[in-house]
Amino acid sequence: MSYDQIELPDVSALRVGIIGGTGPQGRGLAYRFARAGVRVLVGSRSTERGVQAAQELNALPGVAAQAEGGDNAFACEADVVVIAVPWEGHAATVAELAPLLTRGKVVVDCVNPLGFDKQGPFALPVPEGSAAEQAATLLPEARVCAAFHHVSAVLLADPEVERVDLDVLVLGDDREAAAQVQALAGRIAGMRGVFAGRLRNAGQVEALTANLIAVNKRYKVHAGIRVTDL
Amino acid sequence: MSYDQIELPDVSALRVGIIGGTGPQGRGLAYRFARAGVRVLVGSRSTERGVQAAQELNALPGVAAQAEGGDNAFACEADVVVIAVPWEGHAATVAELAPLLTRGKVVVDCVNPLGFDKQGPFALPVPEGSAAEQAATLLPEARVCAAFHHVSAVLLADPEVERVDLDVLVLGDDREAAAQVQALAGRIAGMRGVFAGRLRNAGQVEALTANLIAVNKRYKVHAGIRVTDL
């Protein structure tokens, strides 16, 4: 068995909502999905800023599917909902949206709980083990996955970058949901969605972002990872 | 700045000792170093088994520098000492060898604190944060780095595998020591040693091995990682 032989589901009809779609990571992901022809619902705490972010996104080069904007509740109407908020507001935002993220909704957490001091970034302890597990605790009816931790917001947002060549590690306890997220990652030019374990192993994937930031600082790059032998 | 422009030190004269050189990872690393022409001191709890492991290694195809075997104390005579013991015996072994690992000795911890249950591997909590930080606590005079967590013992040990194509994430608070470890990793065909942060960010690198095991199980591969954009 190798990667190419894994059959991933057809996700061409799925809409992707972005909670925190006006932040760097959310905005960048929204742009890449829109370039890939995915219908994106850009969410923000304020409806006005969500609408504005979608308009700005639609004006960028290469957008193949017009995004729509609204508040975070609007983004929750999508088939797959990506949580891309700062760690500081993670628990509160997820708890607030919990009534909308029910009945098997696929939720993709891509939040990295990191702290920063004069020596650089470091992993913050999370009582639930990871941001993704915190989301899963707050959203017992949703199918929570973790993915898109290591994508550089700078590369995502740069219209001149045609391909973002890296693997997206996808974690989740629901294989069907994880496969959808893998397939969505695979729609973005250059990306491959690789299943990388259960949600209980999400903490180190989130925390590895601190190491990639160290790599970026040392080598002046925008590091991601590829899985070898795959 | 990019990876190729980083100047790494000349490590061609350095000897590498392997604590736990009869285990799968230690034996595999010893073989790869010997193939690369690095002088290896293979250590084991028993002198006899260390000597035997070195003899077996020297009989394998492609060995460019004959390894020597002995007990773990013998391996500590090397310039760079790799700790490749099972996590269960990590603290006891390191504490026992502490009197030999002093005065700025470069120590490379490659131990992954993992547990396994019916759902597969998971990261074990480590009071010090990581195996490497545990070693650093026990070896206050040594220059402790962390590296070689994600190398597949199967690939390392297979004489028919010419190149082990992956990046070795090297962590450490002593830049000079980390650079030596990066350079040593770079001597192994296919490998590149990438500086990936301070020792306080070693825990997630160790734990990521659980994710790579999940990848291996899912796709029937021997996964490692490459850092992109580098």
Side-chain angles (χ1 to χ4, degrees):
Chain A
M1 196 188 299
S2 73
Y3 185 81
D4 290 338
Q5 292 166 325
I6 301 290
E7 285 191 20
L8 292 175
D10 178 4
V11 291
S12 57
L14 297 188
R15 294 169 307 163
V16 173
I18 312 277
I19 308 298
T22 54
Q25 195 181 16
R27 191 183 284 262
L29 282 172
Y31 176 44
R32 287 294 146 180
F33 280 126
R35 272 177 77 121
V38 177
R39 292 162 60 201
V40 177
L41 310 188
V42 179
S44 171
R45 274 176 298 177
S46 114
T47 301
E48 188 180 4
R49 283 192 293 131
V51 170
Q52 186 187 338
Q55 287 173 343
E56 289 169 6
L57 189 162
N58 290 333
L60 290 174
V63 168
Q66 295 290 299
E68 298 173 80
D71 63 6
N72 283 329
F74 169 72
C76 288
E77 294 174 18
D79 305 289
V80 175
V81 177
V82 176
I83 301 174
V85 297
W87 168 241
E88 292 70 35
H90 183 263
T93 302
V94 174
E96 183 188 330
L97 297 171
L100 305 173
L101 299 171
T102 57
R103 296 184 308 281
K105 180 85 79 176
V106 177
V107 173
V108 186
D109 201 293
C110 57
V111 174
N112 296 312
L114 299 182
F116 293 83
D117 62 18
K118 61 184 178 183
Q119 293 190 338
F122 58 94
L124 291 172
V126 180
E128 296 86 352
S130 60
E133 287 163 287
Q134 183 180 84
T137 302
L138 293 167
L139 306 172
E141 294 178 48
R143 296 186 287 168
V144 175
C145 296
F148 299 109
H149 307 90
H150 305 146
V151 293
S152 155
V154 173
L155 295 183
L156 292 176
D158 185 346
E160 297 192 3
V161 172
E162 295 285 335
R163 297 167 54 86
V164 181
D165 286 300
L166 52 77
D167 285 342
V168 172
L169 300 185
V170 179
L171 297 101
D173 295 341
D174 182 307
R175 282 295 178 89
E176 191 187 340
Q180 285 187 10
V181 178
Q182 289 177 255
L184 279 168
R187 293 199 66 183
I188 297 176
M191 288 191 194
R192 198 167 62 158
V194 175
F195 180 75
R198 289 174 171 272
L199 225 50
R200 69 176 180 176
N201 281 313
Q204 58 265 28
V205 174
E206 297 170 359
L208 191 74
T209 305
N211 302 89
L212 295 178
I213 292 170
V215 170
N216 290 346
K217 187 179 172 199
R218 176 79 177 87
Y219 300 101
K220 314 296 180 201
V221 295
H222 300 292
I225 67 168
R226 279 279 189 207
V227 178
T228 59
D229 198 33
L230 193 65
Chain B
M1 199 188 296
S2 73
Y3 185 79
D4 290 336
Q5 292 166 324
I6 301 291
E7 283 191 21
L8 293 175
D10 178 3
V11 291
S12 57
L14 297 188
R15 295 169 306 162
V16 173
I18 313 276
I19 308 299
T22 56
Q25 195 182 15
R27 191 184 285 262
L29 282 172
Y31 177 44
R32 289 292 146 181
F33 280 125
R35 272 177 76 121
V38 177
R39 292 162 61 199
V40 177
L41 310 188
V42 180
S44 170
R45 274 176 298 177
S46 115
T47 302
E48 188 180 2
R49 285 192 291 132
V51 169
Q52 188 186 336
Q55 288 172 342
E56 290 169 6
L57 189 162
N58 290 332
L60 290 173
V63 168
Q66 296 289 297
E68 298 172 80
D71 62 6
N72 283 330
F74 169 72
C76 289
E77 295 175 16
D79 304 290
V80 175
V81 176
V82 175
I83 301 175
V85 298
W87 169 241
E88 293 70 37
H90 183 263
T93 302
V94 174
E96 184 188 331
L97 297 170
L100 304 173
L101 300 171
T102 55
R103 296 184 307 282
K105 179 85 79 176
V106 177
V107 173
V108 185
D109 201 293
C110 57
V111 174
N112 297 312
L114 299 182
F116 292 84
D117 61 18
K118 61 184 178 182
Q119 293 190 339
F122 58 94
L124 292 172
V126 179
E128 296 85 354
S130 62
E133 286 163 287
Q134 184 180 83
T137 301
L138 293 166
L139 306 172
E141 293 179 47
R143 296 186 287 170
V144 176
C145 297
F148 299 110
H149 306 90
H150 305 146
V151 292
S152 155
V154 173
L155 295 182
L156 291 177
D158 185 345
E160 298 191 3
V161 172
E162 295 285 334
R163 296 166 54 86
V164 182
D165 286 300
L166 53 76
D167 286 341
V168 172
L169 301 185
V170 178
L171 298 101
D173 296 342
D174 183 307
R175 282 295 177 88
E176 191 188 341
Q180 286 187 10
V181 178
Q182 289 177 253
L184 279 168
R187 293 200 64 182
I188 297 176
M191 288 191 194
R192 198 168 59 159
V194 175
F195 180 76
R198 289 175 171 272
L199 224 52
R200 69 176 181 176
N201 282 313
Q204 57 264 30
V205 174
E206 297 170 359
L208 191 73
T209 305
N211 301 89
L212 296 178
I213 293 171
V215 171
N216 290 346
K217 187 180 173 199
R218 176 79 179 87
Y219 300 101
K220 314 298 182 200
V221 295
H222 299 293
I225 67 169
R226 279 280 189 207
V227 178
T228 59
D229 197 33
L230 193 64

mmCIF file of all heavy atoms in Angstrom, chain A residues 74-93:
data_model
loop_
_atom_site.group_PDB
_atom_site.id
_atom_site.type_symbol
_atom_site.label_atom_id
_atom_site.label_comp_id
_atom_site.label_asym_id
_atom_site.label_seq_id
_atom_site.Cartn_x
_atom_site.Cartn_y
_atom_site.Cartn_z
ATOM 1 N N PHE A 74 -22.328 32.071 10.800
ATOM 2 C CA PHE A 74 -22.538 31.861 9.365
ATOM 3 C C PHE A 74 -21.563 30.801 8.832
ATOM 4 O O PHE A 74 -21.940 29.894 8.088
ATOM 5 C CB PHE A 74 -22.358 33.195 8.628
ATOM 6 C CG PHE A 74 -22.286 33.064 7.142
ATOM 7 C CD1 PHE A 74 -23.416 32.749 6.385
ATOM 8 C CD2 PHE A 74 -21.080 33.253 6.466
ATOM 9 C CE1 PHE A 74 -23.353 32.633 4.996
ATOM 10 C CE2 PHE A 74 -21.005 33.139 5.084
ATOM 11 C CZ PHE A 74 -22.139 32.819 4.355
ATOM 12 N N ALA A 75 -20.312 30.905 9.232
ATOM 13 C CA ALA A 75 -19.308 29.929 8.776
ATOM 14 C C ALA A 75 -19.643 28.516 9.245
ATOM 15 O O ALA A 75 -19.278 27.531 8.598
ATOM 16 C CB ALA A 75 -17.919 30.341 9.258
ATOM 17 N N CYS A 76 -20.349 28.426 10.371
ATOM 18 C CA CYS A 76 -20.715 27.111 10.910
ATOM 19 C C CYS A 76 -21.761 26.400 10.054
ATOM 20 O O CYS A 76 -22.022 25.209 10.255
ATOM 21 C CB CYS A 76 -21.233 27.243 12.347
ATOM 22 S SG CYS A 76 -19.946 27.636 13.548
ATOM 23 N N GLU A 77 -22.358 27.106 9.113
ATOM 24 C CA GLU A 77 -23.313 26.462 8.201
ATOM 25 C C GLU A 77 -22.627 25.562 7.183
ATOM 26 O O GLU A 77 -23.283 24.755 6.516
ATOM 27 C CB GLU A 77 -24.133 27.528 7.464
ATOM 28 C CG GLU A 77 -25.048 28.328 8.368
ATOM 29 C CD GLU A 77 -25.741 29.466 7.614
ATOM 30 O OE1 GLU A 77 -25.783 29.429 6.365
ATOM 31 O OE2 GLU A 77 -26.222 30.396 8.284
ATOM 32 N N ALA A 78 -21.311 25.709 7.037
ATOM 33 C CA ALA A 78 -20.576 24.913 6.051
ATOM 34 C C ALA A 78 -20.562 23.433 6.444
ATOM 35 O O ALA A 78 -20.890 23.063 7.573
ATOM 36 C CB ALA A 78 -19.141 25.437 5.932
ATOM 37 N N ASP A 79 -20.178 22.587 5.481
ATOM 38 C CA ASP A 79 -20.108 21.145 5.745
ATOM 39 C C ASP A 79 -18.913 20.801 6.634
ATOM 40 O O ASP A 79 -18.983 19.916 7.484
ATOM 41 C CB ASP A 79 -19.990 20.392 4.422
ATOM 42 C CG ASP A 79 -21.120 20.747 3.484
ATOM 43 O OD1 ASP A 79 -22.259 20.325 3.766
ATOM 44 O OD2 ASP A 79 -20.879 21.477 2.506
ATOM 45 N N VAL A 80 -17.822 21.501 6.389
ATOM 46 C CA VAL A 80 -16.594 21.296 7.162
ATOM 47 C C VAL A 80 -16.199 22.650 7.739
ATOM 48 O O VAL A 80 -16.099 23.635 6.999
ATOM 49 C CB VAL A 80 -15.458 20.742 6.276
ATOM 50 C CG1 VAL A 80 -14.152 20.655 7.057
ATOM 51 C CG2 VAL A 80 -15.848 19.377 5.706
ATOM 52 N N VAL A 81 -16.009 22.695 9.044
ATOM 53 C CA VAL A 81 -15.757 23.971 9.724
ATOM 54 C C VAL A 81 -14.350 23.968 10.309
ATOM 55 O O VAL A 81 -14.012 23.120 11.138
ATOM 56 C CB VAL A 81 -16.798 24.218 10.833
ATOM 57 C CG1 VAL A 81 -16.490 25.493 11.592
ATOM 58 C CG2 VAL A 81 -18.204 24.266 10.232
ATOM 59 N N VAL A 82 -13.546 24.916 9.862
ATOM 60 C CA VAL A 82 -12.154 25.024 10.308
ATOM 61 C C VAL A 82 -12.062 26.059 11.424
ATOM 62 O O VAL A 82 -12.548 27.184 11.264
ATOM 63 C CB VAL A 82 -11.240 25.445 9.131
ATOM 64 C CG1 VAL A 82 -9.809 25.666 9.608
ATOM 65 C CG2 VAL A 82 -11.289 24.402 8.016
ATOM 66 N N ILE A 83 -11.468 25.663 12.536
ATOM 67 C CA ILE A 83 -11.258 26.592 13.653
ATOM 68 C C ILE A 83 -9.848 27.151 13.553
ATOM 69 O O ILE A 83 -8.865 26.411 13.701
ATOM 70 C CB ILE A 83 -11.459 25.895 15.004
ATOM 71 C CG1 ILE A 83 -12.880 25.324 15.088
ATOM 72 C CG2 ILE A 83 -11.199 26.860 16.155
ATOM 73 C CD1 ILE A 83 -13.137 24.502 16.328
ATOM 74 N N ALA A 84 -9.748 28.441 13.286
ATOM 75 C CA ALA A 84 -8.442 29.083 13.067
ATOM 76 C C ALA A 84 -8.341 30.360 13.884
ATOM 77 O O ALA A 84 -7.967 31.408 13.378
ATOM 78 C CB ALA A 84 -8.249 29.368 11.576
ATOM 79 N N VAL A 85 -8.696 30.253 15.145
ATOM 80 C CA VAL A 85 -8.660 31.426 16.028
ATOM 81 C C VAL A 85 -7.378 31.397 16.865
ATOM 82 O O VAL A 85 -6.727 30.355 16.985
ATOM 83 C CB VAL A 85 -9.895 31.431 16.962
ATOM 84 C CG1 VAL A 85 -11.177 31.548 16.140
ATOM 85 C CG2 VAL A 85 -9.939 30.179 17.839
ATOM 86 N N PRO A 86 -6.992 32.510 17.453
ATOM 87 C CA PRO A 86 -5.836 32.477 18.357
ATOM 88 C C PRO A 86 -6.123 31.549 19.544
ATOM 89 O O PRO A 86 -7.277 31.432 19.982
ATOM 90 C CB PRO A 86 -5.706 33.930 18.830
ATOM 91 C CG PRO A 86 -6.428 34.742 17.805
ATOM 92 C CD PRO A 86 -7.533 33.874 17.297
ATOM 93 N N TRP A 87 -5.075 30.925 20.045
ATOM 94 C CA TRP A 87 -5.235 29.995 21.162
ATOM 95 C C TRP A 87 -5.909 30.677 22.351
ATOM 96 O O TRP A 87 -6.728 30.064 23.061
ATOM 97 C CB TRP A 87 -3.878 29.416 21.559
ATOM 98 C CG TRP A 87 -3.907 28.670 22.864
ATOM 99 C CD1 TRP A 87 -3.199 28.960 23.988
ATOM 100 C CD2 TRP A 87 -4.696 27.516 23.172
ATOM 101 N NE1 TRP A 87 -3.498 28.071 24.981
ATOM 102 C CE2 TRP A 87 -4.409 27.168 24.505
ATOM 103 C CE3 TRP A 87 -5.611 26.746 22.459
ATOM 104 C CZ2 TRP A 87 -5.014 26.094 25.151
ATOM 105 C CZ3 TRP A 87 -6.219 25.672 23.090
ATOM 106 C CH2 TRP A 87 -5.911 25.346 24.421
ATOM 107 N N GLU A 88 -5.609 31.939 22.562
ATOM 108 C CA GLU A 88 -6.143 32.650 23.723
ATOM 109 C C GLU A 88 -7.675 32.631 23.736
ATOM 110 O O GLU A 88 -8.299 32.551 24.782
ATOM 111 C CB GLU A 88 -5.635 34.099 23.761
ATOM 112 C CG GLU A 88 -4.147 34.227 24.036
ATOM 113 C CD GLU A 88 -3.289 33.745 22.875
ATOM 114 O OE1 GLU A 88 -3.693 33.940 21.698
ATOM 115 O OE2 GLU A 88 -2.243 33.129 23.135
ATOM 116 N N GLY A 89 -8.272 32.698 22.539
ATOM 117 C CA GLY A 89 -9.720 32.730 22.488
ATOM 118 C C GLY A 89 -10.358 31.409 22.117
ATOM 119 O O GLY A 89 -11.574 31.338 21.892
ATOM 120 N N HIS A 90 -9.554 30.353 22.073
ATOM 121 C CA HIS A 90 -10.015 29.071 21.527
ATOM 122 C C HIS A 90 -11.206 28.502 22.297
ATOM 123 O O HIS A 90 -12.273 28.257 21.733
ATOM 124 C CB HIS A 90 -8.850 28.081 21.508
ATOM 125 C CG HIS A 90 -9.169 26.760 20.907
ATOM 126 N ND1 HIS A 90 -9.520 25.663 21.655
ATOM 127 C CD2 HIS A 90 -9.209 26.356 19.628
ATOM 128 C CE1 HIS A 90 -9.742 24.637 20.859
ATOM 129 N NE2 HIS A 90 -9.569 25.031 19.620
ATOM 130 N N ALA A 91 -11.021 28.286 23.583
ATOM 131 C CA ALA A 91 -12.064 27.617 24.363
ATOM 132 C C ALA A 91 -13.364 28.431 24.347
ATOM 133 O O ALA A 91 -14.457 27.876 24.140
ATOM 134 C CB ALA A 91 -11.585 27.394 25.798
ATOM 135 N N ALA A 92 -13.249 29.741 24.524
ATOM 136 C CA ALA A 92 -14.448 30.572 24.570
ATOM 137 C C ALA A 92 -15.180 30.567 23.233
ATOM 138 O O ALA A 92 -16.413 30.436 23.180
ATOM 139 C CB ALA A 92 -14.065 32.007 24.964
ATOM 140 N N THR A 93 -14.435 30.674 22.140
ATOM 141 C CA THR A 93 -15.064 30.703 20.818
ATOM 142 C C THR A 93 -15.741 29.367 20.513
ATOM 143 O O THR A 93 -16.878 29.329 20.021
ATOM 144 C CB THR A 93 -14.007 31.015 19.735
ATOM 145 O OG1 THR A 93 -13.393 32.269 20.030
ATOM 146 C CG2 THR A 93 -14.644 31.063 18.346
#
